[in-house]
Amino acid sequence: MASADLRDNLLGISWVDSGWVPILNPSNVVEYFSERSNPFYDRTCNNEVVKMQRLTLDHLNQMVGVEYILLHAQEPILYIIRKQQRQSPTQVIPLADYYIIAGVVYQAPDLGSVINSRVLSAVHGIQSAFDEAMSFCRYHPSKGYWWHFKDQEEKERVKPKSKRKEEPSSLFQRQRVDTLLLDLRNKFPPTFYQPKPGEKPVPVEVKKEPEVPVETVKPQEEREAKPPAPPGPARPAPQTTPNKPPPEKRARLQ
């Protein structure tokens, strides 16, 4: 766990020795990398053994263990140093790569770290987008869900508010009122009218229509005025039977 934390920390740091920068070249860049102040350098490597014994770097091929070699050089700006585990003169296992740009040493990230960093960046961006989108979401039981963005508030503040023309009444109200006023005018006609503004009102002449007399005929006069019925065969008068009392009930003698 500590080695993983240390590796992650090394990916975020750099190292430089300004005294070496003007004289860096492919022959001394490995010696520059093996400075004791360099945090990327492992002092238990074979390079340190060769350096203490004052041997050349060619002797590294005959040793087994961790070593540093110059992998690539692009003078005078770029050098790549590789850390590897040597198991035999012909078999090595790469452990890490370091690149030196203008004298500044950085550790090159491995493929897993690159993918992990990209995935974390993408997830963070997506999560931030969802959080921001949720901050604009509103809900009300009667309205449901809707979006309320901040730029809409700014536009509404900057945009001049146009006064809405309010009509005194609706079409239905005007038609209804006109009908009521016409009925009132017919029932109660005006007694005065003003021909022009500022003139004296003039009385209105109301023409009274002559009333038609209604003939009322009394019932007795109606009967007298009826013509006599035409002669015809006389109808026999209905026979009236006198009302006889019911027969008396007599008791039987036993």
Side-chain angles (χ1 to χ4, degrees):
M1 194 71 181
S3 61
D5 296 339
L6 181 60
R7 182 185 61 184
D8 294 339
N9 293 334
L10 293 178
L11 291 175
I13 65 174
S14 61
W15 175 82
V16 61
D17 188 349
S18 58
W20 281 82
V21 174
I23 59 173
L24 274 181
N25 55 64
S27 60
N28 62 4
V29 67
V30 176
E31 186 179 356
Y32 167 66
F33 186 84
S34 62
E35 287 288 327
R36 292 182 176 274
S37 58
N38 183 7
F40 304 106
Y41 181 67
D42 186 2
R43 297 179 185 176
T44 62
C45 63
N46 294 337
N47 297 65
E48 191 70 14
V49 176
V50 171
K51 184 179 179 180
M52 292 177 62
Q53 295 180 0
R54 297 182 180 182
L55 301 175
T56 61
L57 296 178
D58 296 335
H59 290 79
L60 293 174
N61 296 334
Q62 308 299 327
M63 302 177 68
V64 176
V66 177
E67 63 182 20
Y68 294 90
I69 64 169
L70 177 62
L71 182 64
H72 177 75
Q74 185 176 346
E75 296 183 73
I77 191 70
L78 176 63
Y79 302 94
I80 297 178
I81 304 295
R82 168 164 290 182
K83 179 181 181 181
Q84 59 188 10
Q85 176 76 32
R86 181 171 292 278
Q87 296 180 348
S88 67
T90 58
Q91 186 178 3
V92 293
I93 300 175
L95 299 178
D97 289 338
Y98 306 90
Y99 54 95
I100 304 174
I101 300 178
V104 183
V105 182
Y106 305 92
Q107 181 175 348
D110 56 292
L111 183 59
S113 301
V114 173
I115 295 176
N116 188 26
S117 176
R118 295 294 185 268
V119 170
L120 288 177
S121 300
V123 171
H124 176 72
I126 294 173
Q127 185 65 36
S128 301
F130 274 111
D131 294 341
E132 187 173 359
M134 289 299 297
S135 65
F136 299 134
C137 181
R138 299 291 184 273
Y139 173 77
H140 193 272
S142 61
K143 297 181 181 179
Y145 290 95
W146 76 94
W147 297 105
H148 184 74
F149 297 101
K150 297 179 181 179
D151 56 351
Q152 292 181 353
E153 296 181 356
E154 296 177 357
K155 289 180 180 179
E156 291 177 359
R157 293 175 183 175
V158 175
K159 184 179 179 181
K161 295 183 179 179
S162 58
K163 294 183 178 180
R164 184 180 178 183
K165 186 178 179 182
E166 297 181 357
E167 297 183 357
S169 61
S170 62
L171 180 61
F172 171 77
Q173 292 174 343
R174 289 196 296 271
Q175 290 180 350
R176 186 65 178 167
V177 172
D178 292 345
T179 305
L180 294 175
L181 291 177
L182 184 60
D183 293 342
L184 291 174
R185 182 178 178 279
N186 294 334
K187 291 181 181 179
F188 306 99
T191 57
F192 293 90
Y193 79 96
Q194 193 175 14
K196 294 181 180 180
E199 293 185 359
K200 187 177 180 181
V202 179
V204 178
E205 297 180 0
V206 181
K207 295 181 180 181
K208 295 183 179 180
E209 298 180 357
E211 297 180 358
V212 180
V214 180
E215 295 182 358
T216 58
V217 182
K218 296 181 180 181
Q220 185 177 0
E221 295 177 354
E222 288 181 357
R223 287 195 297 269
E224 293 177 356
K226 286 184 178 179
R235 296 180 180 179
Q239 296 180 359
T240 58
T241 58
N243 295 330
K244 294 181 180 182
E248 297 179 359
K249 294 183 179 181
R250 296 178 182 178
R252 294 181 181 181
L253 297 177
Q254 298 179 356

